[in-house]
Amino acid sequence: NDYDLSNDEVAHFYNQRGAIEKEFDVLKNDFGWNNLPFSKLEQNTVFLFFTAICRNLYDYIINQFSARFKCLSPSFRIKKFIFRFITIPAKWIRNARQNKLKIYGNLCFKT
């Protein structure tokens, strides 16, 4: 209903809505906003704020790690980050009176 904006400005404004909905999708599916844990509004508000802060911290961490490791991308969701970087098969091997960590798979960092 805003006739002052041009067609390009309206398209840009509408596309911003899609970007925000993507953020809510990440918060709902990755950080537990889909099922709130408490029955009281005050406690759920604290939970929502805390998980939003965790989302910002995760975004910072994944940007820092993706600059250092080629196998990570800054656009990885949290589940993909965990399965690609956190939970990797490894085994401690004792060789020549030293303990060495043997990491299995095609990973892009040295062991």
Side-chain angles (χ1 to χ4, degrees):
N1 296 337
D2 189 3
Y3 296 106
D4 296 333
L5 297 176
S6 69
N7 291 337
D8 293 334
E9 292 171 336
V10 170
H12 178 69
F13 180 74
Y14 186 74
N15 288 339
Q16 288 177 342
R17 178 177 174 248
I20 294 300
E21 289 203 11
K22 175 73 173 165
E23 290 298 320
F24 277 112
D25 176 52
V26 168
L27 286 168
K28 284 173 81 175
N29 294 320
D30 293 351
F31 290 93
W33 280 26
N34 207 14
N35 299 317
L36 296 175
F38 304 108
S39 60
K40 294 189 177 184
L41 181 64
E42 299 87 15
Q43 295 169 340
N44 282 331
T45 304
V46 172
F47 173 77
L48 293 174
F49 280 132
F50 183 72
T51 53
I53 291 169
C54 290
R55 163 73 170 114
N56 291 337
L57 287 173
Y58 170 72
D59 193 37
Y60 175 77
I61 289 169
I62 193 71
N63 283 328
Q64 294 295 317
F65 283 1
S66 66
R68 186 168 289 185
F69 300 107
K70 294 177 186 173
C71 60
L72 294 177
S73 171
S75 63
F76 278 180
R77 302 269 298 253
I78 195 163
K79 187 174 185 179
K80 193 172 195 179
F81 172 71
I82 289 172
F83 284 130
R84 295 262 175 105
F85 194 73
I86 302 296
T87 56
I88 52 177
K91 178 180 176 182
W92 286 103
I93 297 174
R94 184 150 178 96
N95 188 6
R97 292 188 282 175
Q98 293 180 345
N99 288 327
K100 295 182 180 178
L101 183 63
K102 167 84 172 155
I103 297 178
Y104 298 98
N106 285 335
L107 300 174
C108 59
F109 48 87
K110 291 183 176 180
T111 59

